[in-house]
Every structure is written in structure tokens, then in C-alpha cells.
């Protein structure tokens, strides 16, 4: 068919007074079109294999079934006086109001108590290996896991998963009247697991400084969102984290290093990366071993991204501004079929808000918005990221297209009682949002996070 097209084209052009340059440019355009369609068909072919794999696997089909929530807001306790109603007409109570109200009658819905805790050490029968988003999750010693704002490291040498996060097992208070809720720094907690369901407490791998008030890790300062990656060249485990003072004016990153995944980690220093303020952050190690720092900057109005040095102990001089003016934080990056994806949240303090997914062919950008990935629950669930905030996305070897979305359901009234929301994240199907920086629709696939009260990984997956 292409040969007939070329012969016809030559016949038409030879019958007219077109120049040779027009013929050359027409041929170039035709070859470019062929190359474009080959790219599309290659990506569609790979995506099609994943679609077929998911649609024919019963365990996968369970994960994409939409599960709805119908939570009724209870009537208010007691009657308001007519005088009060006249002075300030009552606003309709929303589900978000109930979530933020520590005295709400629905408190048990968002923060179930110890009676429903996930205890991997008990004989759970058919409930073994099920995740219950929002429930208390116990470690192998029977204590609630304390690893908030965390991330996962898979250590290939020991074939073990390590979960690092903020250890918040202390009282919640406000440093002053206008300050945000906080817990004094205790340190970075670490848990190990072979199956990502049964977690052993490995202790505090980076501890707070109790007496030295000038130290970054002094207990009255802030340590958030620790992430650890392994450097294949140096053989070191490197931790990056958000370091701040109690008023969030320091706005820096901190770096620590260890010979072992279970620490202890030696704290090195803090700095403002590239000379910019840095708050919510993450690090991402690419397939080629290059690692990147991503952080909210310019008072959380934009994100910055740039490669680390080869030893992962500092940033390089290269940095790009992305999502400028969008006010996004809590970045969580992952890569699928050569495309980079990032889940972010809005900036509303401890209150939940709508997640967005962004995608890029190059990690340095440009990054395109792909909309809200949340599916199921109800409208409020979807607009609040299931009352949680992104922190990390876990890739699952052997299950292409399936990931675990890690998020925190913050409890500002008692931060140690904040919960973990782990849900299936699936990359499949065509994107349904046009490109902002380029013409048309993207070639990459749609990202979906499915709400489930109870779910587990396909039985064929093995840690």
C-alpha cells in the first residue's frame, strides 16, 4: 500500500511544476509518519500484553473492581438555640468536617481502634496477607508500626524489603498558638519484611539529638519523609530527608549514610539544595543508577528536580523547575515502560486533598498533568485521596503494570495514631487527558488507584 502511495505521489508531482525540495520534504514527512505509527504500535503492543495479562487474571480483576462507600453523616448532637441559628446560620456538615473533628461520631470509620488491628502473627486463616487500609498495622512484636511519610527499599543482597519512616510514638502538641501539630523528633524507624505484610521492627536507625540545640536532629526540630537508596558503586545506604525548625523556616534537606540497611545511619549535614528552599521531598533511583532529588520549593508553589552526585551525597548543579505555580507537594515517583510518573498532593497542611498524576518521557520534564487517579469509594473519597496523602509507590517485580500506592492518613489530633493507606495502583488503558505542552493525547497509559476496604496482591506474586 505504501508503494502505491509513493508511485501516485511521484505521478502527481511530476505532472506539476513542483520543485525537488517539495518532493524531498514530502518523502521526509511520510517517513516520519511511518516512524510515529511504529512507535505507537510498539507501545500499544506492550500495553496490550499487560491488558491481556490483567484481564485474564482473576486476582487482577478483583483489584480493578470498583468498591463504593456510603457513609451517612449522623445528625448533630443536641439542638442549637434559635438565637445562635439566627446569628450564624448553620453550614451543612461535610464528610471532611467529620474527618477533621476528633470528637466526630464517625471517628471509628476513619481511625478504627485496636480491636480491628492487622496482626500478622495471629492465625488469620483466609485473611492472611490482606491489606486493610486505615486499620492499625502491628509489627511482629504486636506494636503499631511507626513509619510515617516513609518509603521502601528492596535490598537485593538479602532479598528483604525495608520500610523507613518517621517514628511518631510521642505526644502531639503545638509549639505555639499558630503552629502546626507536631511530635518531637524521635528518629527514623525501620522495619524489615520478606513479604511486605509481616514487618519486624529493626529499631530507630537515625535517632534524635536530645541535648545539642544547634544540631539539625535536635528533638524540637522537624524531620520528615525519610527515603533510603543503595549506591551500587560505593556500597553505601544513603538516606535523604526533609529537615526544618519548628516554624518551618529552615526548609532544607538532610543526608545520612550507613554500611547496612538497618543502620545505624551517620548524619552528615543539611543544606538548601541548589540554593532554594525545600520542604516535602523524595528521591528516585533510575534504571541506569542515576538518582534524583525532587522537592517542593518557592513556598510550595512549584517542584524542583535534579540529579544527585554519583555517590548520592549531594545534588549536582543541574536543576529544573516543574509544575510551576501548581502548589503541589508529597511527590511519589515511579517508572513504567520507559515513562516517568509522579503522584502529588495539594498543599492543605494536615487536611486531605485531591491527588494528581503527572507523566514525562524524560525525568527532567516537561511533565504533563494526567488528572486525579483515584477510583472508587465516593466523590469525597476521590477528592481527598481516600483521606490520605501520597508518600511512595512500590514497584512489584513480576507483575507488570501493578504497583502499591503508599499514603498516610494523618491524624493531627494524635499524630502517632495516623494510619497507612496501601492500595493497588495500576497502569493500563489509554490516557483520557490531552497534553498541555504538546499537541494531541499522550502515548503513555492511564494511572488508576483503586479503593478497597480489603485487598491483597495476586497469589502468584512472591516477595
Amino acid at each position: 500500500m505504501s508503494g502505491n502511495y509513493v508511485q501516485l505521489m511521484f505521478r502527481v508531482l511530476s505532472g506539476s511544476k513542483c520543485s525537488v525540495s517539495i518532493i524531498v520534504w514530502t518523502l521526509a514527512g511520510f517517513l516520519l509518519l511511518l516512524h510515529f505509527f511504529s512507535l505507537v504500535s510498539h507501545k500499544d503492543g506492550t500495553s496490550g500484553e499487560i491488558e491481556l495479562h490483567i484481564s485474564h487474571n482473576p486476582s487482577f480483576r478483583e483489584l480493578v473492581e470498583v468498591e463504593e462507600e456510603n457513609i451517612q453523616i449522623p445528625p448533630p448532637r443536641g439542638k442549637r438555640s434559635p438565637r445562635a441559628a439566627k446569628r450564624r446560620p448553620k453550614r451543612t456538615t461535610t464528610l471532611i468536617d467529620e474527618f477533621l473533628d476528633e470528637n466526630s461520631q464517625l471517628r471509628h470509620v476513619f481511625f478504627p481502634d485496636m480491636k480491628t488491628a492487622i496482626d500478622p502473627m495471629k492465625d488469620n486463616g483466609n485473611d492472611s496477607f490482606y491489606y486493610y487500609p486505615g486499620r492499625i498495622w502491628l509489627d511482629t512484636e504486636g506494636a503499631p508500626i511507626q513509619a510515617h511519610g516513609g518509603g521502601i527499599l528492596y535490598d537485593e543482597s538479602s532479598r528483604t524489603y525495608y520500610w523507613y519512616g518517621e517514628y511518631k510514638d510521642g505526644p502531639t502538641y503545638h509549639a505555639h498558638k499558630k503552629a502546626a501539630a507536631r511530635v518531637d523528633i524521635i528518629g527514623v524507624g525501620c522495619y524489615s519484611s520478606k513479604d511486605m505484610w509481616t514487618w519486624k521492627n529493626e529499631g530507630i536507625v537515625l535517632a534524635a539529638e536530645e541535648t545539642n540545640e544547634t544540631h539539625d536532629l535536635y528533638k524540637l526540630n522537624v524531620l520528615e519523609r525519610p527515603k533510603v537508596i543503595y549506591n551500587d558503586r560505593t556500597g553505601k545506604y544513603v538516606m535523604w530527608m526533609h529537615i526544618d525548625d519548628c516554624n518551618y523556616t529552615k526548609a532544607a534537606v538532610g543526608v545520612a549514610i550507613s554500611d547496612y540497611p538497618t543502620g545505624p545511619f551517620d548524619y552528615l549535614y543539611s543544606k538548601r539544595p541548589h540554593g532554594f528552599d525545600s520542604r516535602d521531598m523524595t528521591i528516585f533511583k533510575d534504571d541506569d543508577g542515576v538518582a534524583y532529588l525532587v522537592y517542593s520549593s518557592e513556598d510550595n508553589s512549584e517542584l524542583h528536580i535534579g540529579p544527585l552526585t554519583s555517590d548520592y551525597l549531594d545534588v549536582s548543579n543541574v536543576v529544573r523547575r516543574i509544575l510551576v505555580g501548581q502548589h503541589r507537594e508529597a511527590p511519589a515517583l515511579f517508572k513504567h515502560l520507559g515513562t516517568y510518573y509522579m503522584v502529588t498532593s495539594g498543599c492543605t497542611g494536615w487536611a486531605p486533598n485531591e491527588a494528581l498524576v503527572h507523566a514525562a518521557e524524560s525525568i527532567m520534564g516537561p511533565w504533563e498533568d494526567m488528572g486525579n487517579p483515584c477510583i472508587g469509594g465516593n466523590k469525597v473519597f476521590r477528592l481527598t485521596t481516600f483521606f490520605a496523602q501520597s508518600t511512595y509507590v512500590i514497584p512489584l517485580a513480576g507483575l507488570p503494570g501493578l504497583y502499591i500506592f503508599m499514603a498516610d492518613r494523618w491524624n493531627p489530633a494524635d499524630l502517632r495514631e495516623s494510619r497507612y493507606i496501601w492500595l493497588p495502583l495500576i497502569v493500563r488503558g489509554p490516557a483520557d487527558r490531552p497534553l498541555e505542552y504538546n499537541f494531541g493525547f499522550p502515548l503513555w497509559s492511564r494511572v488508576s488507584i483503586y479503593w478497597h476496604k480489603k485487598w491483597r496482591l495476586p497469589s502468584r506474586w512472591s516477595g
Side-chain angles (χ1 to χ4, degrees):
M1 187 174 178
S2 58
N4 294 336
Y5 174 80
V6 173
Q7 289 175 9
L8 178 64
M9 181 184 68
F10 269 114
R11 230 181 274 126
V12 171
L13 290 175
S14 61
S16 63
K17 295 181 179 179
C18 293
S19 66
V20 175
S21 62
I22 293 178
I23 298 174
V24 171
W25 281 111
T26 306
L27 275 170
F30 176 69
L31 292 172
L32 194 64
L33 252 148
L34 281 178
H35 176 65
F36 172 77
F37 281 116
S38 70
L39 282 176
V40 173
S41 61
H42 172 70
K43 281 220 171 191
D44 283 351
T46 312
S47 300
E49 291 173 13
I50 293 173
E51 287 281 338
L52 191 67
H53 175 71
I54 290 175
S55 61
H56 283 72
N57 189 316
S59 301
F60 272 87
R61 287 202 301 271
E62 289 178 10
L63 298 182
V64 299
E65 289 176 358
V66 177
E67 192 170 328
E68 298 293 341
E69 291 280 359
N70 184 21
I71 301 175
Q72 300 296 323
I73 297 177
R77 293 172 176 170
K79 293 182 179 180
R80 303 176 77 220
S81 69
R83 184 180 299 174
K86 185 176 181 180
R87 185 174 65 250
R88 189 171 61 188
K90 187 180 179 184
R91 181 175 63 86
T92 303
T93 302
T94 68
L95 205 53
I96 298 177
D97 294 329
E98 294 289 343
F99 172 79
L100 295 173
D101 181 4
E102 59 187 285
N103 297 313
S104 168
Q105 299 175 62
L106 295 177
R107 196 67 177 170
H108 67 284
V109 175
F110 301 112
F111 301 97
D113 59 23
M114 281 289 288
K115 295 176 183 176
T116 62
I118 307 166
D119 187 353
M121 302 311 290
K122 283 186 177 179
D123 182 6
N124 291 280
N126 292 332
D127 282 346
S128 293
F129 299 103
Y130 273 98
Y131 298 107
Y132 290 85
R135 290 192 186 183
I136 295 172
W137 198 347
L138 305 180
D139 62 23
T140 54
E141 297 173 0
I145 294 172
Q146 290 288 338
H148 307 282
I152 300 291
L153 166 75
Y154 178 67
D155 185 56
E156 294 184 0
S157 61
S158 61
R159 295 186 178 181
T160 303
Y161 292 92
Y162 292 94
W163 180 2
Y164 303 91
E166 305 160 31
Y167 202 91
K168 288 189 174 294
D169 195 14
T172 298
Y173 69 98
H174 296 263
H176 52 82
K177 191 175 181 180
K178 294 185 178 180
R182 60 164 285 129
V183 170
D184 284 348
I185 297 178
I186 298 172
V188 176
C190 175
Y191 296 81
S192 63
S193 175
K194 297 289 187 179
D195 56 23
M196 283 203 295
W197 190 69
T198 307
W199 293 95
K200 176 189 175 185
N201 186 357
E202 299 289 352
I204 305 293
V205 296
L206 180 67
E209 172 57 49
E210 292 290 329
T211 57
N212 184 358
E213 297 182 12
T214 64
H215 200 284
D216 285 343
L217 301 183
Y218 179 57
K219 62 183 180 180
L220 298 185
N221 288 332
V222 171
L223 186 164
E224 295 177 338
R225 298 187 174 271
K227 304 292 186 292
V228 176
I229 52 176
Y230 178 70
N231 190 300
D232 300 282
R233 187 176 64 85
T234 64
K236 301 289 187 180
Y237 296 86
V238 183
M239 179 188 296
W240 285 69
M241 69 213 85
H242 170 204
I243 293 293
D244 230 315
D245 54 37
C246 64
N247 295 315
Y248 285 86
T249 59
K250 185 178 179 70
V253 291
V255 184
I257 192 170
S258 176
D259 292 325
Y260 308 98
T262 53
F265 280 79
D266 296 321
Y267 187 76
L268 301 181
Y269 70 97
S270 69
K271 69 181 294 185
R272 284 193 163 192
H274 311 106
F276 294 99
D277 60 294
S278 170
R279 291 182 174 85
D280 276 12
M281 46 66 62
T282 193
I283 47 177
F284 174 79
K285 181 180 176 182
D286 210 342
D287 302 331
D288 58 3
V290 179
Y292 296 83
L293 172 69
V294 186
Y295 58 96
S296 296
S297 193
E298 300 291 359
D299 293 323
N300 288 344
S301 66
E302 62 192 39
L303 293 180
H304 292 179
I305 184 168
L308 302 182
T309 53
S310 60
D311 58 8
Y312 300 169
L313 299 183
D314 202 352
V315 292
S316 70
N317 294 325
V318 179
V319 63
R320 287 280 174 84
R321 301 165 62 214
I322 62 174
L323 310 187
V324 177
Q326 294 193 34
H327 297 273
R328 307 303 295 175
E329 63 179 13
L333 271 74
F334 66 102
K335 188 177 183 180
H336 177 73
L337 296 181
T339 298
Y340 299 90
Y341 295 91
M342 177 167 56
V343 184
T344 64
S345 89
C347 300
T348 54
W350 294 116
N353 57 64
E354 183 179 19
L356 291 178
V357 170
H358 318 270
E361 291 298 329
S362 165
I363 194 169
M364 299 296 284
W367 285 81
E368 300 277 0
D369 294 342
M370 295 186 66
N372 186 338
C374 299
I375 294 177
N378 57 40
K379 183 179 179 181
V380 180
F381 269 56
R382 293 187 289 275
L383 292 177
T384 58
T385 319
F386 313 114
F387 295 94
Q389 185 183 39
S390 52
T391 184
Y392 198 76
V393 175
I394 311 170
L396 299 169
L399 295 177
L402 177 60
Y403 301 78
I404 295 179
F405 172 68
M406 287 176 62
D408 294 280
R409 179 173 287 175
W410 298 114
N411 181 354
D414 189 359
L415 287 167
R416 81 176 101 199
E417 286 291 322
S418 299
R419 304 298 167 77
Y420 310 107
I421 306 296
W422 286 28
L423 291 168
L425 181 153
I426 295 179
V427 186
R428 68 164 189 162
D432 53 5
R433 189 183 181 97
L435 292 168
E436 180 180 357
Y437 298 105
N438 297 289
F439 178 75
F441 280 79
L443 300 180
W444 51 70
S445 300
R446 185 174 66 249
V447 173
S448 303
I449 302 170
Y450 292 87
W451 170 252
H452 293 278
K453 292 180 182 177
K454 169 185 175 182
W455 71 283
R456 66 178 174 182
L457 292 169
S459 55
R460 63 181 287 258
W461 182 80
S462 170

